[in-house]
Amino acid sequence: MPRILWSVGATVLAIPALAHNVTILSDAPVNQEIAGLLVWVLVFSVIVFGVVAGALAYTVWKFRARPGDDELPPQVHGNDRMEIVWTLIPLLIVMVLFVLTAQTLVKLKRPVAGAMVVEATGWQFWWDFQYPDEGLRTAGELVIPVGQTVEVRITSGDVIHSFWPPSLTGKADAIPGEVNRLQFLATKPGNYYGYCAELCGDSHANMRFRILALERQDYDRFVETYRAYTAPEPISPLEAQGKELFDAQCAACHTVKGTTARGVIGPDLSLFGLRTTLGSGVWENTPENLKRWIRDSAAMKPGSKMPAFPQLSDADLEALTAYLYSLKLDGFDFAQLPRY
Ligand code: HEC
Ligand SMILES: [Cu+2]
């Protein structure tokens, strides 16, 4: 019996520590705030549990039937003082939690002036990111600086989606014709995972994204080089053949900065060679996956709006792959970022 009590006690005591680890997926301010609230809730829960379970155990022990106890014990009916106390205490606890929660809410919702603005548009089944102040655009992977509050203005081009990078902040719905704002800050460089959090069709579960937080100087260098960037000229016959195929078959839907490819139906592929992922955050960006994707993306990602290209030969795929991987900025490797 005592052993069971010990393990129950140890479990109860371990809960706050556990919750702490689970909630703080990163040390982003939002998660810190929410973890702080959770600790209060847990402390109260443990106290209430201790008092109630203790009183119960005491009563059961103290007023147990003893040999020879044949008569009914004295009967009581109601106890005003106790009833008032056990109404007031929970009321007080709820009020304390309310005030703490309201404080956190106000703090988290207060807009920070001078935030960097990014526009995120959800499409079935990928995210388009535009940086209006920088005049840049990426898809599937949002690049931000560390230590700078970012305001993401979220909308949708088709159905309702929801933008959710859990280790940085909460979610906000992406609704056609409306803009929802979400502000957050990354405190350390890394690759933060994001998800679509609103059922939006066949590949809802495959609609992910990444937020790549870079040190300030790396971010500035990224912006500078990307601004000046135009797709490099093909340096081999293979790449040249890939570019030709791309311009003929893919340019209607995809943009490659500095070329005649200016389509906006699909993701911007200007920096495809830098991408850590393919198919909006789902598959590793490898040549095998890329070839499979181009041949029949819907076979990998049900409901994909990109048509299949069964007519392309293996050599064509090889050429397209060579061309797409040539599209990158020198001196960046996002695959090295720690993942959160
Ligand atoms: C009719 C428009 C259309 C055409 C034509 C088209 N694509 Fe796409 N492409 C899309 C859409 C839409 C997506 C996003 C699909 C998704 O992730 O759900 C996409 C996604 C991609 C991706 C993955 C991008 C990412 O963000 O991970 C690559 C790579 C790609 N297309 C390459 C090509 C190539 C190469 C061709 C030509 C052979 C081509 N596309 C032709 C519409 C098109
Ligand atoms: Cu979605």
Side-chain angles (χ1 to χ4, degrees), residues 123-126 139-140 203 245-246 249-254 265-269 272 275 277-281 290 293-294 297 301 303-307 309 312 320 324:
W123 295 94
Q124 283 174 323
F125 298 96
W126 58 282
S203 266
L245 277 166
F246 191 90
Q249 313 246 15
C250 325
C253 295
H254 293 289
I265 292 168
D268 189 307
L269 298 179
F272 189 76
R275 288 285 207 80
T277 60
L278 166 69
S280 67
L290 178 56
W293 176 274
I294 299 174
S297 68
K301 188 171 181 177
S304 164
K305 304 278 181 205
M306 172 161 150
F309 288 89
L312 293 176
L320 277 167
L324 284 170

Side-chain angles (χ1 to χ4, degrees), residues 250-300:
C250 325
C253 295
H254 293 289
T255 294
V256 175
K257 199 167 174 248
T259 73
T260 51
R262 301 225 177 84
V264 291
I265 292 168
D268 189 307
L269 298 179
S270 302
L271 296 184
F272 189 76
L274 268 191
R275 288 285 207 80
T276 62
T277 60
L278 166 69
S280 67
V282 183
W283 290 275
E284 290 298 318
N285 188 2
T286 62
E288 297 70 48
N289 284 339
L290 178 56
K291 288 179 205 162
R292 274 212 301 153
W293 176 274
I294 299 174
R295 175 140 289 154
D296 187 3
S297 68
M300 291 170 81

